[in-house]
Amino acid sequence: QVQLVESGGGSVQAGGSLRLSCAASGYGHNYPFMGWFRQAPGKEREGVAAIYFTGGVSYYADSVKGRFTISRDNAKTTTVYLQLNSLKPEDSAMYYCAATKGWVRVPLLADKYDYWGQGTQVTVSS
């Protein structure tokens, strides 16, 4: 059974930083894409960042470019991180890690992902 476990969420003041981690297990081989999504109350889930493991190519939502960085653990190809810098109150949301079984054309679309974690809460106060 596939499991994705997120950690690293918390509460920070605006301008602060957090680092989220996601470890995947149970699939037996690498996930082509791993991504981070977020959902605030009353809003749809949105793609934040994704990484293509084979080439290390990363993708970002415009709202987080220059502030968030997605990376992978090269020694553990089923572990991905999201560094959140210069946080803003509007970044507050539940953050979810997700993984795909195969290649996808649009890595920031939630419905392209096959496996999901339970989420970790990020709260940014002004």
Side-chain angles (χ1 to χ4, degrees):
Q1 183 176 355
V2 176
Q3 275 194 314
L4 277 68
V5 179
E6 304 101 332
S7 61
S11 297
V12 296
Q13 290 191 327
S17 298
L18 286 171
R19 189 190 193 210
L20 308 183
S21 299
C22 173
S25 63
Y27 190 32
H29 57 81
N30 298 341
Y31 305 87
F33 286 91
M34 290 187 76
W36 288 95
F37 296 78
R38 67 186 181 187
Q39 188 167 20
K43 295 189 176 181
E44 292 190 356
R45 189 169 296 190
E46 64 169 339
V48 175
I51 188 165
Y52 179 47
F53 265 77
T54 301
V57 180
S58 53
Y59 308 82
Y60 296 96
D62 288 343
S63 59
V64 306
K65 280 181 183 176
R67 300 189 298 121
F68 292 7
T69 303
I70 190 170
S71 62
R72 60 185 178 178
D73 186 327
N74 288 329
K76 303 176 185 177
T77 54
T78 54
T79 299
V80 66
Y81 306 98
L82 186 68
Q83 179 69 38
L84 295 72
N85 295 330
S86 302
L87 282 161
K88 305 175 181 180
E90 51 264 41
D91 294 318
S92 297
M94 186 70 79
Y95 282 70
Y96 298 90
C97 175
T100 67
K101 290 181 183 178
W103 187 85
V104 299
R105 180 172 295 182
V106 187
L108 292 180
L109 282 183
D111 62 5
K112 304 300 181 186
Y113 283 73
D114 302 289
Y115 307 107
W116 291 85
Q118 293 299 307
T120 185
Q121 179 69 39
V122 171
T123 303
V124 185
S125 58
S126 58

